[in-house]
Amino acid sequence: MLTPRRLRDSPRPLVLFAGVTLLSVAGLAWLSWRVLAQDRAVERQRWLDRCELAAGNAAAMLTRQLADLQRLLGVALDGHNPGVPAGGVTILAFRGEFLDAAYGPKLPYCPSVPDASDRATGHFREAEALEFQGNQPLKAAELYASLARSQEPETRAGALIRLARAYRRADRPAKALESYAALERMGAVPIAGEPAEMMARLGKSEVYAKTNDGPALRKEAAEIGRALAEGRWLLRRGSYESLAEQTRAWLSGPLPTEPSPETLALADTAETVWRQWKDGLLDAASPPHRRSFWTRDRAVLALWESRPGRLVLLAAGPDLLKAAIGQLSSEAGLRVEISLEDPEGHRVLGAPDAAPSLRAVKTASGTGLPWTVYAAPAGPGALSQTLSGQARLLLAALTLMGIFTLVATVFVVRSISRELAVARLQTDFVAAVSHEFRSPLTTIMQLSELLVRGRIPGEEKRQSFYEMLLRESRRLHSLVEGLLNFGRLESGRYEYHFQTIDLAEFARGLIEDFSTSAADTRHNVEFHQDGKPISVKADRDALGRVLWNLLDNAVKYSPDCRTIWIDVEPYEGGVAINVYDRGLGIPL
């Protein structure tokens, strides 16, 4: 129980409790933070090891992939079909300056085309002399027509294109179109290095343009555009670009189907490597004969094998690498993103690293690959999503500790506040009791002193003093009994003795005794009862003390009104005893 001294020092326990609580929570938070930091460092190391393993596996897989592609080059170098894998891979074999064989997807243009020396040129000298020197295109056409029946495809193709030309010079467009149609059916037979079908369609388009046959011209130009997009004809880059430009002019717009950027990038890379080989920049004695080229905003892998006068080139787009890396990621299940970067800093494969501080690196100089290999966690929240069970447990414990501390603080503050309130009530009670005791004790001491010293004249006066001593002694005895009974009530040891009481008679007797006791205050107590007499079962002493206290309070706190009223009435199945005054009142 708090004493008056403790009441004055009451903030100290609360401050001490708050300080200890804050220190405990701060210590737990610091320990939790340290454990979490250590756990996060361990998790980071695990991720680094995981990324290092993934980068090593990716480098090994890419090395095997390149070795397989290099074996294909060896097969093609020996003149055999290597069996090109799917995934945007093309192989071109060159002999001298000319393309010897092509495997895989067709490119829109090549660095070189097969050797197409026009060996039948001598057959057309007589006809060409009539056509140009004699200016007799129809006479020349007869000779060309006879040569067009030759069994040699090159001779027949050369005769047909010259026959169509002679008819155009003679202003016979229908005959020229017939010759071009026959030439078109010869497909890829070369005419001065150009395919017969292409020359035929080009000639037909020129005839349609000259005769102003717009629908036929657009139809023929659209077919030429589709052939260019499909890589149907082996063309040099210059031929491809000039034909594409002419076709767009005939169509008055873009080609119906443009080549994909991937195939154009393969064609550009093949031309770059071929030119470097022609210029002697590809040293056959310097392995590993592989390089990553960046063209048309994409990466192309180039591998080559060469011999004197012989070059085999493989060009592969990023799809081949994506398939290999995707298979590696699915098999490993490491949630790691693999990315490749060429020596010029271009991102060949993969997205930018989500966590650069956690990535593992395999340099090109260390692996012999044409790229630097990176491995990093896949996703920005990879590390935060893998907090260990220990970390989660610590976070949960810290949260529970915080909740417990908050609840405990609330309860302690409420308990201390209640204790302080009780202490204040006890202090007030002691002061009030002391005041109540002081009045009768002072009277008793004064009267006793007068009696002992014989200062009371007359027996009648002395008798009145004796009566006052008795009254004050009884009052003091009543106060003492009240305190004792209060203690018994508080401890639950008070024994009630119930008996039947007439409330009217009981109240009048109590009022008479109280009026005698409070005569010097000149207060008048009025009693009123409605209806018949009321009898109840009650403890006479306990009920009397309650009514006496109510009357005593009414006297103390209503100094201006000298009348107190008591009435008894039935109330909700029981009896109500009401004490009224016109004093200060009691706040609800």
Side-chain angles (χ1 to χ4, degrees):
M1 181 180 298
L2 292 176
T3 63
R5 176 180 177 84
R6 290 180 180 177
L7 183 63
R8 290 193 302 271
D9 300 337
S10 58
R12 294 177 59 187
L14 190 60
V15 172
L16 181 62
F17 172 78
V20 172
T21 301
L22 289 176
L23 286 176
S24 301
V25 172
L28 180 62
W30 181 81
L31 288 176
S32 301
W33 176 78
R34 292 295 300 167
V35 173
L36 284 175
Q38 184 178 4
D39 186 78
R40 197 169 185 86
V42 171
E43 189 63 30
R44 286 177 64 87
Q45 187 59 45
R46 288 176 183 170
W47 268 108
L48 284 173
D49 295 341
R50 191 177 300 175
C51 292
E52 190 71 26
L53 175 62
N57 291 339
M61 184 275 301
L62 291 173
T63 300
R64 291 193 300 270
Q65 184 82 19
L66 293 181
D68 293 340
L69 296 177
Q70 208 78 36
R71 282 193 292 271
L72 295 180
L73 290 178
V75 174
L77 191 62
D78 293 334
H80 303 294
N81 188 341
V84 178
V89 179
T90 185
I91 296 179
L92 302 177
F94 299 92
R95 191 180 299 275
E97 296 184 1
F98 302 102
L99 180 66
D100 187 44
Y103 310 98
K106 295 180 179 180
L107 302 180
Y109 49 86
C110 296
S112 178
V113 296
D115 186 7
S117 301
D118 198 346
R119 293 179 293 272
T121 304
H123 300 159
F124 309 120
R125 288 176 184 169
E126 181 181 356
E128 287 177 344
L130 287 173
E131 182 181 358
F132 295 104
Q133 296 176 4
N135 196 20
Q136 300 181 47
L138 292 178
K139 287 284 188 180
E142 294 176 0
L143 294 177
Y144 291 143
S146 63
L147 291 171
R149 291 189 289 270
S150 172
Q151 297 299 317
E152 293 290 336
E154 291 84 359
T155 302
R156 188 164 65 252
L160 286 173
I161 195 169
R162 287 172 173 84
L163 178 59
R165 183 183 66 199
Y167 282 136
R168 289 174 61 185
R169 287 172 60 87
D171 199 16
R172 301 285 183 89
K175 287 291 188 179
L177 290 174
E178 290 179 5
S179 300
Y180 282 133
L183 180 62
E184 181 185 339
R185 290 190 290 270
M186 299 196 69
V189 175
I191 303 173
E194 306 292 354
E197 181 189 2
M198 186 199 76
M199 299 298 290
R201 292 191 179 278
L202 183 58
K204 289 166 65 176
S205 298
E206 291 174 349
V207 172
Y208 293 141
K210 188 176 181 179
T211 58
N212 296 321
D213 190 348
L217 175 60
R218 285 189 293 274
K219 180 179 179 181
E220 197 64 40
E223 187 60 32
I224 293 174
R226 281 189 288 270
L228 291 176
E230 295 169 3
R232 192 185 307 171
W233 307 317
L234 284 174
L235 302 176
R236 294 182 180 88
R237 183 169 186 167
S239 300
Y240 168 83
E241 291 178 349
S242 63
L243 184 56
E245 183 179 358
Q246 181 62 63
T247 305
R248 293 188 187 97
W250 285 330
L251 292 172
S252 300
L255 299 178
T257 306
E258 295 283 353
S260 66
E262 287 76 13
T263 57
L264 290 174
L266 292 177
D268 289 348
T269 302
E271 183 172 10
T272 299
V273 176
W274 181 80
R275 290 190 181 280
Q276 291 181 0
W277 175 70
K278 288 294 295 178
D279 295 338
L281 300 178
L282 297 182
D283 188 1
S286 59
H289 300 165
R290 61 187 68 161
R291 184 179 169 189
S292 178
F293 290 87
W294 187 260
T295 179
R296 297 183 185 266
D297 294 330
R298 53 187 33 83
V300 177
L301 170 65
L303 294 86
W304 61 88
E305 288 287 350
S306 62
R307 294 175 184 170
R310 183 85 167 141
L311 171 68
V312 178
L313 162 67
L314 182 147
D319 291 342
L320 181 69
L321 300 177
K322 288 180 182 178
I325 295 297
Q327 182 180 3
L328 174 67
S329 301
S330 62
E331 290 177 355
L334 297 176
R335 293 186 296 165
V336 173
E337 177 79 17
I338 303 296
S339 57
L340 305 179
E341 189 176 277
D342 66 11
E344 298 176 355
H346 299 116
R347 185 58 59 117
V348 174
L349 184 68
D353 298 334
S357 60
L358 293 177
R359 71 180 182 183
V361 182
K362 297 294 182 182
T363 61
S365 59
T367 60
L369 297 171
W371 320 279
T372 297
V373 180
Y374 297 102
L383 182 62
S384 60
Q385 293 173 359
T386 55
L387 286 175
S388 67
Q390 182 183 7
R392 289 193 293 270
L393 182 62
L394 284 173
L395 289 176
L398 184 61
T399 302
L400 291 177
M401 183 63 182
I403 296 174
F404 171 77
T405 302
L406 179 62
V407 174
T409 302
V410 171
F411 277 106
V412 169
V413 169
R414 291 185 62 183
S415 299
I416 292 178
S417 301
R418 190 180 296 112
E419 188 74 14
L420 292 175
V422 172
R424 284 192 294 270
L425 289 175
Q426 289 177 344
T427 302
D428 295 341
F429 177 76
V430 170
V433 169
S434 300
H435 178 73
E436 291 294 332
F437 272 92
R438 186 180 293 112
S439 297
L441 283 175
T442 301
T443 302
I444 292 173
M445 289 178 63
Q446 290 177 349
L447 293 177
S448 299
E449 184 178 356
L450 292 174
L451 290 172
V452 168
R453 294 181 179 182
R455 296 180 179 179
I456 308 301
E459 187 64 26
E460 183 179 354
K461 191 72 172 175
R462 188 179 293 110
Q463 184 64 31
S464 66
F465 276 24
Y466 288 147
E467 291 176 357
M468 290 178 64
L469 284 173
L470 179 61
R471 187 167 59 251
E472 293 300 324
S473 298
R474 286 177 178 175
R475 180 181 175 188
L476 187 61
H477 179 267
S478 177
L479 290 174
V480 172
E481 284 296 324
L483 286 177
L484 292 176
N485 289 329
F486 177 76
R488 295 189 191 100
L489 288 172
E490 284 290 311
S491 62
R493 293 184 289 106
Y494 185 83
E495 295 182 1
Y496 292 94
H497 301 283
F498 292 95
Q499 55 184 302
T500 303
I501 299 174
D502 186 338
L503 281 180
E505 180 184 350
F506 174 77
R508 289 189 180 93
L510 183 67
I511 292 171
E512 182 179 353
D513 293 340
F514 182 80
S515 298
T516 303
S517 174
D520 56 343
T521 63
R522 300 187 183 130
H523 278 75
N524 179 34
V525 181
E526 296 183 3
F527 176 76
H528 178 264
Q529 177 183 358
D530 292 334
K532 300 178 181 179
I534 300 175
S535 298
V536 296
K537 278 195 171 184
D539 186 298
R540 178 179 292 274
D541 294 337
L543 183 59
R545 282 192 295 274
V546 171
L547 286 177
W548 189 282
N549 289 336
L550 291 174
L551 292 171
D552 192 39
N553 286 336
V555 169
K556 290 179 182 178
Y557 299 106
S558 58
D560 297 332
C561 181
R562 301 289 177 173
T563 303
I564 301 171
W565 297 271
I566 297 179
D567 63 34
V568 178
E569 59 181 359
Y571 180 77
E572 296 183 357
V575 178
I577 302 175
N578 303 310
V579 178
Y580 301 98
D581 62 67
R582 294 180 180 176
L584 302 177
I586 300 174
L588 297 177

